Amino acid sequence: MNQSIFFAIMAALLFGASTPFAKLLINEASPMMLGGMLYLGSGLGLGVARLIRDRGWKSAGMATKEWPWLLGAIVFGGVFGPVALMFGLAHASGASASLLLNLEAVLTAVIAWVVFRENADRRVVLGMAAIVAGGVVLSWPTGETVSTAGIGPMAIALACLCWAIDNNLTRKVSASDALFIAGSKGLIAGTVNCTLALVSGSAFPPLATVGSIMLLGLLGYGISLVMFVLALRGLGTSRTGAYFSTAPFIGALIALALLREPVTPTFWLASILMGVGVWLHLTERHEHLHTHEPLEHRHPHRHDEHHQHDHDFEWDGQEPHSHQHAHAVATHKHPHFPDIHHRHAH
């Protein structure tokens, strides 16, 4: 399996499992406090991991032009997104909420295609259409009043939009240290949301609950985000979103088993539609003759067909390794994704 695909699926597994468990904790704290503590647990855990890995504090080495992209990702994905999701979870079933999170992949791809001009094959577009249809079926009002049937799905859809913007902004810095990106988002977003929650009158939950929330945040938001950034580096935004769209199915299955929620015919119809969409994404293949323009950047790499360069420093031969390096013009043909080396026009 392609390593980047593995990272994307692991990110989906961790995040998908976190949604029904967050549903169990929704009554323990306000939505803003819960969202803040999830990210704070992520940031603190990853910060400690980075200190251990680097044996102390080291600069992330990010270029000045990359900081606005990272800060924008933190605001949308770390501050707005979690609050909208926690509010939505309070007004929707865990299984339905999990499946509705598939909209994140759709919105991520649309922004990638329209705003950032990332390539979209017919198979990927059809898959997104099937996922949208499943989301419509799942959120269609039944016998409930509009206030209960609409508010929850709308809040979850808003969270998906926030994370879609976040995903596309994070793509711009995906070559940088994934631990630093995810940890920074967790610390800043968690601190902001917890502070706002306290100012608005929310109280901290019991200490034992705090530990559960922060551990869930480390796994479902922190480590999951590290995996997602690594996948972005190798797959591009829309393809990573496609693989990540398996997360809601994981969450829905856990919700059905853990929360013992009733299963409706619309749930199964939505599952089939979304399953078809995910299958179309997972079986997509993209190959054509393409040209690499001159490029200079820094990221962990091996000396493969895209990294044939000399070193102006003493190198011990260990791979992967990271340093500033330049790519010369090259034209060839092979299966590829719009990763950090294949962001070309078609």
Side-chain angles (χ1 to χ4, degrees), residues 95-104 135 138-139 152-153 156 160 248 274:
S96 294
S98 293
L99 280 183
L100 277 170
L101 289 176
N102 263 310
L103 296 176
E104 179 186 344
L138 196 60
S139 57
I156 294 169
C160 290
M274 291 182 171

Side-chain angles (χ1 to χ4, degrees), residues 96 99 134 137-138 142 256 262-273:
S96 294
L99 280 183
V137 168
L138 196 60
T142 53
L256 292 174
V263 182
T264 63
T266 54
F267 175 84
W268 290 119
L269 177 57
S271 297
I272 292 171
L273 287 169

